Amino acid sequence: MVLTAGVAQASPSGLQSDLDAVRDSGAVGVQARVVSPGKESAGSSGTSVRGRDVPVSVDGHFRIGSDTKTFAATVLLQLVAQGRVSLDDSVEKWLPNLVQGNGYDGNRITIRNLLQHTSGIYDYPHAVELEMATEAGFRKHRFKRLAPEKVVELSVAHPPVFAPGSKWEYSNVNYIIAGMIIEKVTGRSWRSEVRERIIAPLGLRNTTLPGDSPFLPWPHAEGYTLTGTGAFRSTEVSLGWGGPAAEIVSTTKDLGKFWRALLGGKLLPPAQLAEMKTTVPLGPNDAYGLGVIRHVTSCGVVTWFHNGGTPGFVTGGAVTDDGRTSVIVSLSNDGVIPGQGTAMTRLTDNAICRAG
């Protein structure tokens, strides 16, 4: 375990034992940070370099993956609060002819559908993501460059998955379109809006939007993709083409600060925060809002977060409904490992339940 100066050591019977359980599930490396009123704990387990004993830094940078979506949703809801756009506006209104043909009608798909994954648009980025789970696929796509318009074009080349608003299915392209709408409304890049509206005001000094750059700031653990037969290093990868769906790089400290500010009402007025928290069910303990996932912990506490996964990294966490307590977890590997997801959920649930 590596600890930051001024951060309390994780209890061997608490956070540290849960971190070790994630490691024991097969994770290469894991770090976590828990912040509650008057208390902050951070710890790590495993290694930063597979095959060597190199401690994982609790200040390490990592790709937050789909947690980027919450930043984009927050910006759009700020624009809603300013009266510059409506959640019920159609895609066609802001981006004429972008989503048309092959069974699609952008007049029927709203911004709310995009943010809540009820658009029915086929997810081309996910198809690429599945390919990148193999070493050959990773090498093929790791330095991919695509304009957002091309990503949408490749998505709508496939028929709709369902009629808009009739079902729920996760689709990264929804947020690529959302980013394009941010740019159309503001006349500025979605990255500039995220920096000006979220990163700068909150002082998130270790949160970056790298665009097409494949490199991570130092310090960072190496990222690995685990397969059924082994693993390959997947640290350097360009995700600029995924943009507002997956691009941001951050730390557990910065990401926790963002989520506590969001749930604490510092980024959105009450009406827009309520819209963000209006959900569709995903399962017995989970539901999806506008760029956020509602989760009820094992001890009955309502939390919010948005998990993320990229080649080499998986991000998890939970933040209480009042924004006072957060737990952020980063794994330095991706790939399906039996028991790893359960161990991560146990870590976040236990951290929230202990803090309460």
Side-chain angles (χ1 to χ4, degrees), residues 19 22-23 25-32 45 56 62-63 221-224 252 308 310-316 328-335 337 340-341 343-344 347:
L19 284 161
V22 175
R23 175 204 63 200
S25 74
V28 177
V30 57
Q31 59 165 310
S45 191
V56 177
F62 53 90
R63 296 188 176 90
E222 298 292 343
Y224 298 91
T252 58
T310 70
F313 296 91
V314 172
T315 304
I328 307 295
V329 188
S330 172
L331 298 183
S332 48
N333 66 264
D334 72 306
I337 303 175
Q340 183 171 276
M344 282 188 71
L347 186 157

Side-chain angles (χ1 to χ4, degrees), residues 219-257:
H220 65 81
E222 298 292 343
Y224 298 91
T225 295
L226 308 185
T227 69
T229 57
F232 59 88
R233 182 176 172 276
S234 50
T235 308
E236 288 88 25
V237 59
S238 299
L239 294 179
W241 68 278
E247 180 184 316
I248 290 177
V249 171
S250 192
T251 62
T252 58
K253 193 176 190 71
D254 271 14
L255 200 51
K257 190 174 184 180

Side-chain angles (χ1 to χ4, degrees), residues 19-352:
L19 284 161
D20 292 342
V22 175
R23 175 204 63 200
D24 293 343
S25 74
V28 177
V30 57
Q31 59 165 310
R33 185 178 303 268
V34 183
V35 178
S36 56
K39 186 178 180 181
E40 180 173 349
S41 300
S44 66
S45 191
T47 181
S48 288
V49 182
R50 193 167 181 262
R52 296 171 54 191
D53 184 14
V54 182
V56 177
S57 170
V58 296
D59 294 318
H61 296 79
F62 53 90
R63 296 188 176 90
I64 71 172
S66 288
D67 212 347
T68 302
K69 293 178 173 69
T70 312
F71 286 74
T74 299
V75 169
L76 258 176
L77 284 165
Q78 288 179 347
L79 293 170
V80 170
Q82 294 172 350
R84 301 173 68 180
V85 67
S86 168
L87 288 172
D88 296 321
D89 284 350
S90 69
V91 170
E92 185 68 15
K93 174 179 178 177
W94 290 103
L95 303 169
N97 300 315
L98 181 72
V99 183
Q100 290 291 349
N102 198 27
Y104 292 97
D105 182 358
N107 290 292
R108 299 181 58 202
I109 300 171
T110 66
I111 292 174
R112 188 187 304 274
N113 291 146
L114 297 176
L115 298 185
Q116 197 149 45
H117 295 303
T118 56
S119 71
I121 301 174
Y122 175 85
D123 192 13
Y124 168 77
H126 181 59
V128 174
E129 185 178 27
L130 292 176
E131 282 192 53
M132 294 180 80
T134 67
E135 189 164 6
F138 176 75
R139 293 185 182 280
K140 175 183 176 182
H141 295 293
R142 65 181 302 192
F143 300 129
K144 199 173 193 68
R145 304 284 193 276
L146 280 179
E149 293 84 359
K150 186 63 177 180
V151 178
V152 178
E153 178 187 329
L154 290 167
S155 294
V156 299
H158 298 262
V161 181
F162 52 79
S166 64
K167 296 180 182 179
W168 183 93
E169 185 168 312
Y170 198 82
S171 180
N172 292 283
V173 76
N174 287 328
Y175 276 77
I176 292 173
I177 297 172
M180 296 172 71
I181 292 174
I182 290 171
E183 297 186 352
K184 192 65 175 289
V185 173
T186 65
R188 289 156 44 93
S189 74
W190 73 270
R191 295 180 181 93
S192 295
E193 292 297 317
V194 167
R195 290 188 188 103
E196 184 173 300
R197 293 170 176 269
I198 299 174
I199 293 175
L202 294 182
L204 306 182
R205 294 177 179 82
N206 289 296
T207 299
T208 56
L209 295 97
D212 288 326
S213 172
F215 304 110
L216 287 172
W218 190 257
H220 65 81
E222 298 292 343
Y224 298 91
T225 295
L226 308 185
T227 69
T229 57
F232 59 88
R233 182 176 172 276
S234 50
T235 308
E236 288 88 25
V237 59
S238 299
L239 294 179
W241 68 278
E247 180 184 316
I248 290 177
V249 171
S250 192
T251 62
T252 58
K253 193 176 190 71
D254 271 14
L255 200 51
K257 190 174 184 180
F258 162 71
W259 275 95
R260 293 193 305 277
L262 177 62
L263 273 297
K266 296 179 180 178
L267 292 173
L268 293 174
Q272 280 67 49
L273 186 56
E275 290 276 18
M276 178 175 264
K277 291 180 175 180
T278 301
T279 61
V280 295
L282 300 183
N285 297 315
D286 301 288
Y288 200 95
L290 305 184
V292 294
I293 298 171
R294 183 183 189 270
H295 170 71
V296 181
T297 69
S298 54
C299 61
V301 178
V302 173
T303 64
W304 299 88
F305 197 65
H306 199 302
N307 300 326
T310 70
F313 296 91
V314 172
T315 304
V319 186
T320 53
D321 193 58
D322 59 8
R324 289 167 60 83
T325 299
S326 66
V327 52
I328 307 295
V329 188
S330 172
L331 298 183
S332 48
N333 66 264
D334 72 306
V336 179
I337 303 175
Q340 183 171 276
T342 300
M344 282 188 71
T345 299
R346 185 179 299 118
L347 186 157
T348 57
D349 276 21
N350 286 348
I352 294 293

